[in-house]
Amino acid sequence: MSMIQIIKQAAIEAVEQSSPMSIAYGTVTKINPLEINVEQRMNIQGNMILLTSNVIDKEVEVEVNDKTEEGGAGPHIHEYKGTKKHIHKKGLKVGEKVLLLRVQGGQKYIVLDRLVSA
């Protein structure tokens, strides 16, 4: 094995041993303040948790360009166009299972998404 290959292998092993990132699973135990039990070993909360847009309530603006459907008391068909604001209620709830990314050193966890069973 050449010296370059030995150095490369040592670098790879050093990175693997430092665990720069790893996947973890958790369960939401509290909402306010948010607390997540990680793999039945420890609870994390506060600035240890980073949330993605997949797990928070979010206001979105939707463009509408449609017509009403016929129905109700007599014919009532007309166009409606424009934008509307909707709130997507995607915030976490107690008991939900979540997919976490543990950042180097285990000091922070990114909540990537909730887990659902098929």
Side-chain angles (χ1 to χ4, degrees):
M1 188 179 267
S2 74
M3 182 61 88
I4 292 176
Q5 289 173 322
I6 293 170
I7 292 171
K8 284 181 183 178
Q9 184 62 36
I12 289 169
E13 289 173 8
V15 168
E16 288 173 354
Q17 289 178 2
S18 69
S19 300
M21 286 189 234
S22 64
I23 297 292
Y25 302 96
T27 303
V28 178
T29 55
K30 281 202 248 180
I31 295 300
N32 197 3
L34 180 60
E35 182 178 274
I36 298 173
N37 181 272
V38 180
E39 296 180 345
Q40 301 177 350
R41 291 183 307 174
M42 67 176 182
N43 290 335
I44 58 171
Q45 60 182 325
N47 63 358
M48 288 183 75
I49 301 173
L50 302 170
L51 302 174
T52 63
S53 63
N54 292 331
V55 296
I56 61 170
D57 291 348
K58 184 167 76 172
E59 184 175 84
V60 295
E61 197 166 322
V62 179
E63 186 173 326
V64 180
N65 185 2
D66 209 346
K67 292 182 181 178
T68 59
E69 294 180 11
E70 189 172 340
H76 181 82
I77 300 173
H78 62 86
E79 290 186 352
Y80 58 97
K81 294 181 180 185
T83 58
K84 292 188 133 212
K85 290 186 179 181
H86 293 273
I87 297 177
H88 288 197
K89 296 284 193 177
K90 297 174 9 175
L92 295 170
K93 295 172 185 61
V94 170
E96 285 188 307
K97 307 289 186 209
V98 292
L99 179 64
L100 305 163
L101 182 63
R102 183 181 65 86
V103 181
Q104 187 171 12
Q107 300 302 310
K108 296 205 183 285
Y109 288 79
I110 301 170
V111 182
L112 297 174
D113 212 341
R114 61 184 40 85
L115 298 172
V116 295
S117 56

